[in-house]
Amino acid sequence: MLTALKSLFNRKHAHDADHSPFVSELRAIVGAQHVLTDPSRTLPFRRGFRFGLGKALAVVHPGSLLEQWRVVQACIKADKIVLMQAANTGITGGSTPDGNDYDRDIVIISGMRMKKIFVIGGGKQVICLPGATLDQLERTLAPLGREPHSVIGSSCIGAAVFGGVSNNSGGALVQRGPAFTQMSVFAQADAQGTLHLVNHLGVELGSGPEEILGALDRGQIPESKINWHAGKGHDDNYATHVRDVDADTPARYNADPARLFEGAGCAGRMALFAVRLDTFPAERNPSVFYIGTNNPDELEDIRRHILTSFSELPIAGEYIHRDAFDIAEEYGKDTFLIIRAIGTRRLPMLFALKNRIDRLTERVPFLPGNMSDRLLQALSRLFPRHLPRRMYEYRDRFEHHLMLKVSAHLASEARTFLDGFCAKSGTNYFACTPDEGARAFLHRFAAAGAAIRYRSTHHRTVEDIVALDVALRRNDRQWSETLPSDLDRKLIVKLYYGHFLCHVMHQDYIVRKGNPCPPIEAEMLGLLDRRGARYPAEHNYGHLYAAPPSLQAHYRALDPCNCFNPGIGKTTKRRNWKAESVA
């Protein structure tokens, strides 16, 4: 037995014995233990959270900004593709390789060892390094009575601040819009392949890359060296923008040129080293109203009144359809219970353990795939129902559910409006207790991963998932989708949930076995095109969506040599943007 385990260990680490000059150079920069080449050890970085898989020559974990700079320099000099990766929690494969048809070796640079956050301006702003997570940022700001751009959803699974900024992630908080900043430190390669470091952080840190990055590594950020008018640290126009409910365009979507600026929305087309962001006053004692209706038009009437007439914007307005409620209640139950029991701080560690279990069990021929999902699903059935009684009652009565979170100041105004609206319509609501409100929003979050769990545990009947991230027009009253019957018959269930006040919907379609997903997705996208919707809304293009020409031009301006994350938005993967069809 001992001999067998030793043999397995030796096989596992055999590939990490790569002594090529380039890999040796990477090891000299960051240390041998922080350069992975064995495919079994690089797999968690080469495989996306929901989508994406491909080969990589190496995965490198710099421990400082200076090390990251030197690694990027080495990669560009050696004509390697650089794939910058944060927490790898995206769902469109945007931070992993996609297939094995690249024309150069790929090096994945993971920034997760660099978790520093520097609070400036008494907490009104922060400077984050590549490994800082949203959960970490939230905990850093809490004692100061402040909070970051996002405090629900992606923060729960350990998403990094850089991922949100790079992908213009939207989040649930309606006043704040997509993650955005005009202040960052980044590296770009020009058309000749020469790497340049740019300091647009609004902080005097020195004159050269080594001096600038060394100062950031040491946290040498004196307030006297900070320019407080260097640029925006969030999209401060969004609160006005989203209120324009008669506009014929979406409130937010990933290709919106107004929200693309250097690192913001770069989609990995450069190497980010630091970002500077605004923070926000934490809301104290918010109120949550749980709204149910069988008439989607009435929810739209509520949305339009809130955005045009309320004295201030709500904190959040999250929608979930009855079918998504049911799937989340059964297949997101363990996620809900784990977060309730231990919070979000340890969740990334549990996800890592889950991935490790899957990698080990995948090597055993007689075990089914996705073993961790199967075990967690079986364990979740041992626990009693976990949602408040009133939520179950509304699930039985109503098809459409809206969770409205407002500040303590806005609670009376919201209650008065809802009382009047419900008195003359088929809509009903109840004011949640603090525990009910917390459970309602956590249940909504659990819906995001429930389709994946369903697929994992029903592989005999499920072909796959078509997951769409949709920005509807702000003036679109017909927001509730009705699919053609021939298309609908190919689906087991449709899951609709999203950020309703922003008209951003997440639509997961679980496809029946035997129905190929690409033509189904193409038909659905065609339907969305005819409705004037834009996609993706907040998860970025990754390798799932084709970037429009304007966004492709933006990517080329950021990365003229096509050496950072090529192929994103279904663009060419070849050096210098050479067309795939050219020999």
Side-chain angles (χ1 to χ4, degrees):
M1 180 68 176
L2 184 61
T3 302
L5 288 174
K6 184 176 180 180
S7 176
L8 177 63
F9 179 86
N10 289 337
R11 288 199 305 272
K12 178 179 179 181
H13 293 275
H15 291 277
D16 279 343
D18 187 330
H19 295 296
S20 67
F22 173 70
V23 172
S24 296
E25 182 180 4
L26 298 180
R27 290 186 171 127
I29 294 170
V30 302
Q33 70 272 35
H34 300 303
V35 178
L36 309 179
T37 57
D38 173 13
S40 67
R41 300 182 70 198
T42 62
L43 181 60
F45 306 92
R46 297 186 291 107
R47 180 163 59 189
F49 179 70
R50 182 183 271 190
F51 172 86
L53 176 65
K55 292 180 181 179
L57 174 66
V59 175
V60 186
H61 297 267
S64 69
L65 298 180
L66 273 174
E67 287 184 358
Q68 178 170 300
W69 167 252
R70 291 164 183 165
V71 168
V72 175
Q73 276 188 315
C75 291
I76 298 299
K77 183 179 179 181
D79 193 27
K80 308 298 183 185
I81 288 172
V82 176
L83 204 160
M84 305 299 300
Q85 187 178 94
N88 192 19
T89 60
I91 67 172
T92 60
S95 59
T96 58
D98 177 50
N100 301 313
D101 55 344
Y102 295 83
D103 61 349
R104 293 150 289 167
D105 291 329
I106 295 173
V107 176
I108 298 172
I109 301 177
S110 171
M112 296 308 291
R113 289 179 64 208
M114 297 173 283
K115 295 182 176 292
K116 294 178 181 178
I117 296 172
F118 305 113
V119 176
I120 60 175
K124 292 183 179 180
Q125 289 188 334
V126 291
I127 294 173
C128 297
L129 300 195
T133 66
L134 289 171
D135 175 70
Q136 176 191 359
L137 181 55
E138 188 175 347
R139 288 185 282 108
T140 299
L141 294 173
L144 305 175
R146 310 285 295 185
E147 60 187 23
H149 170 268
S150 294
V151 296
I152 186 174
S154 58
S155 59
C156 295
I157 57 173
V161 173
F162 273 34
V165 172
S166 297
N167 294 306
N168 276 148
S169 300
L173 304 183
V174 66
Q175 311 103 321
R176 301 175 190 176
F180 179 80
T181 185
Q182 294 177 331
M183 298 174 287
S184 62
V185 176
F186 57 91
Q188 291 177 289
D190 59 26
Q192 289 71 45
T194 302
L195 195 67
H196 304 273
L197 186 76
V198 180
N199 177 15
H200 286 171
L201 198 63
V203 184
E204 295 180 27
L205 296 166
S207 57
E210 302 271 329
E211 187 177 0
I212 291 168
L213 299 176
L216 279 173
D217 277 327
R218 295 186 294 273
Q220 294 176 340
I221 308 171
E223 299 267 327
S224 61
K225 299 293 185 179
I226 298 174
N227 176 2
W228 296 106
H229 305 285
K232 294 182 178 182
H234 82 285
D235 181 5
D236 58 0
N237 184 56
Y238 187 76
T240 301
H241 178 76
V242 74
R243 282 185 180 268
D244 187 359
V245 297
D246 293 317
D248 197 38
T249 56
R252 53 181 165 97
Y253 58 99
N254 282 130
D256 186 352
R259 294 172 178 86
L260 300 175
F261 187 88
E262 296 178 344
C266 70
R269 290 291 187 171
M270 57 170 60
L272 273 176
F273 289 81
V275 296
R276 178 175 160 189
L277 300 165
D278 291 338
T279 70
F280 306 87
E283 294 287 353
R284 303 300 181 190
N285 303 314
S287 294
V288 174
F289 300 99
Y290 198 97
I291 303 164
T293 184
N294 289 311
N295 185 349
D297 292 341
E298 292 182 352
L299 276 195
E300 183 60 22
D301 290 340
I302 290 173
R303 172 184 170 270
R304 293 178 69 87
H305 179 87
I306 287 172
L307 293 178
T308 59
S309 301
F310 272 23
S311 59
E312 65 179 51
L313 286 176
I315 298 168
E318 292 294 290
Y319 168 79
I320 187 168
H321 185 272
R322 176 191 282 156
D323 291 342
F325 183 110
D326 290 344
I327 294 293
E329 196 272 341
E330 183 173 358
Y331 296 95
K333 186 176 184 179
D334 58 297
T335 298
F336 181 103
L337 294 174
I338 289 170
I339 293 175
R340 288 283 294 185
I342 66 173
T344 61
R345 184 175 182 178
R346 293 180 176 85
L347 207 57
M349 178 184 67
L350 294 179
F351 270 98
L353 177 61
K354 178 180 179 297
N355 289 334
R356 190 174 303 170
I357 291 172
D358 284 337
R359 293 198 306 274
L360 290 174
T361 55
E362 283 170 1
R363 300 178 183 179
V364 182
F366 59 83
L367 289 178
N370 304 302
M371 180 58 68
S372 64
D373 281 311
R374 295 170 182 274
L375 292 173
L376 287 170
Q377 190 59 34
L379 287 172
S380 71
R381 295 193 178 102
L382 302 177
F383 291 87
R385 301 181 97 180
H386 57 288
L387 299 177
R389 174 183 54 82
R390 292 198 285 184
M391 285 179 63
Y392 285 117
E393 291 174 353
Y394 266 51
R395 180 262 166 232
D396 293 338
R397 294 172 58 192
F398 302 114
E399 182 180 0
H400 305 282
H401 300 234
L402 177 65
M403 289 144 274
L404 186 67
K405 181 183 288 188
V406 301
S407 67
H409 173 74
L410 191 61
S412 177
E413 183 179 347
R415 187 189 298 269
T416 299
F417 162 68
L418 290 172
D419 284 340
F421 186 88
C422 293
K424 58 185 179 183
S425 69
T427 297
N428 277 257
Y429 86 96
F430 64 86
C432 295
T433 66
D435 181 66
E436 286 175 327
R439 287 175 183 265
F441 271 87
L442 183 52
H443 179 62
R444 155 62 187 88
F445 162 71
I452 302 173
R453 173 63 56 78
Y454 188 98
R455 178 184 63 185
S456 298
T457 55
H458 294 79
H459 64 282
R460 290 187 177 89
T461 58
V462 174
E463 181 71 21
D464 207 341
I465 300 169
V466 172
L468 302 181
D469 172 28
V470 180
L472 302 176
R473 292 175 292 118
R474 282 170 283 173
N475 65 352
D476 191 350
R477 288 182 175 270
Q478 304 301 316
W479 62 273
S480 183
E481 182 179 68
T482 301
L483 294 176
S485 57
D486 61 331
L487 182 57
D488 197 56
R489 284 194 293 269
K490 298 175 183 178
L491 309 175
I492 297 173
V493 67
K494 306 180 292 290
L495 307 182
Y496 297 103
Y497 52 95
H499 314 309
F500 189 66
L501 298 182
C502 300
H503 256 194
V504 167
M505 300 297 294
H506 302 304
Q507 302 176 180
D508 295 342
Y509 307 92
I510 300 177
V511 180
R512 293 186 188 280
K513 198 75 170 180
N515 294 286
C517 289
I520 291 176
E521 181 175 359
E523 185 174 353
M524 288 176 171
L525 294 180
L527 294 172
L528 291 171
D529 289 338
R530 289 193 284 276
R531 293 174 61 188
R534 300 294 294 267
Y535 48 84
E538 61 177 6
H539 291 156
N540 224 326
Y541 286 78
H543 292 284
L544 287 182
Y545 298 93
S550 61
L551 187 59
Q552 292 187 36
H554 177 68
Y555 289 160
R556 293 187 70 149
L558 293 178
D559 180 22
C561 65
N562 204 27
C563 50
F564 287 94
N565 211 6
I568 290 296
K570 296 187 180 294
T571 57
T572 178
K573 297 176 180 178
R574 302 184 69 179
R575 182 188 295 104
N576 297 324
W577 293 87
K578 188 176 181 180
E580 299 283 352
S581 59
V582 177

